[in-house]
Every structure is written in C-alpha cells, then in structure tokens.
Amino acid sequence: MAARSFNRAERVGGQVQKVLAGLIRKGVNDPRLAQATISGVTMSRDLRIAKVYFTAPGGAHDEQALLAGFESAKGFIKRELARELGLRYMPDLKFFYDASFDYGAHINRVLKSLQTNDEKNNPTTDEQ
C-alpha cells in the first residue's frame, strides 16, 4: 500500500487548524468563542485564502454570534498565525459554520427514534 502524499496546501491547512485551535483555547479572550471548535481548514492552492470551519455545542443557533466573534478577533488571529507559521503571505481568513455535526446528530436522533418505535411495535420475548 502506497503512502498518501499531501500537498503543501493540505499541510499548511493542518498547521493553521492546529495553531488556531490553540489560540481559541488560550489566546482569544472573546467569550463568544469559548466553546467554538475548529473542525477543519482548507487552503487555496496559492495559500492566499484559508476557509476555517467551526462548530459549537449550541448548534446552528449560535452561528451568528460565533461569526461575529471570529470577525472581531480576526486581526489578532492573523497576527498570531503569522508569528507562529512564518508564511511569506498571511492567508485571508474566511469563517464558515460546519453544519455536518448538526446533520450527524439529527441522523442519530432519527435512527434512535426508529429503533425505539421498532422495539415498541415488535417486542422481543425471552420466554420460549
């Protein structure tokens, strides 16, 4: 089995995600971002744009507050990323709410409700 090679944009995106997660945990003092989790970072091929995907335990109803928090902290985040990463050009950060976790939780609830309904409609008996 051949090892998968990563291109530079993927490697830099991973580094941006790692540093950004640490910044949110320790460096950013905005309470809106306290519960945010960076779920992924995709970089453009020329490394000029970083799309940062985030989630929160409160779900999509916290999306606007989190976006506002990221936008207000964007300057600080860019300065810290530039200091940590040492890139020639600091990418422009664009923040997006990652709804895939909400969708996964929804699917999980649907499956559990189907399982519960199935158990109610088809009770199993241990007596034979």
Side-chain angles (χ1 to χ4, degrees):
M1 179 162 68
R4 180 174 185 259
S5 65
F6 292 93
N7 65 26
R8 186 160 190 252
E10 289 174 334
R11 288 192 313 267
V12 171
Q15 285 297 105
V16 168
Q17 181 176 354
K18 181 179 172 183
V19 172
L20 188 54
L23 279 175
I24 288 174
R25 232 178 316 114
K26 297 177 184 173
V28 177
N29 292 329
D30 193 327
R32 295 174 287 194
L33 303 180
Q35 298 296 316
T37 301
I38 305 301
S39 60
V41 175
T42 57
M43 301 290 296
S44 62
R45 289 178 57 100
D46 64 358
L47 304 179
R48 298 287 181 131
I49 299 173
K51 292 181 180 178
V52 178
Y53 298 92
F54 63 90
T55 63
H61 69 274
D62 290 341
E63 177 181 356
Q64 292 305 315
L66 286 166
L67 279 171
F70 277 117
E71 288 300 321
S72 84
K74 186 187 267 190
F76 170 76
I77 291 170
K78 283 180 78 167
R79 275 191 307 277
E80 291 299 311
L81 282 173
R83 188 175 61 78
E84 289 284 326
L85 299 176
L87 296 173
R88 181 178 296 171
Y89 301 104
M90 187 58 217
D92 184 30
L93 302 175
K94 299 190 183 296
F95 297 97
F96 299 94
Y97 181 74
D98 186 356
S100 63
F101 291 96
D102 295 340
Y103 183 71
H106 169 72
I107 295 297
N108 197 24
R109 285 191 302 273
V110 169
L111 290 173
K112 283 187 180 195
S113 73
L114 290 174
Q115 181 182 10
T116 303
N117 288 341
D118 188 44
E119 289 173 356
K120 287 180 185 176
N121 293 335
N122 301 318
T124 58
T125 58
D126 292 335
E127 303 165 8
Q128 294 187 9

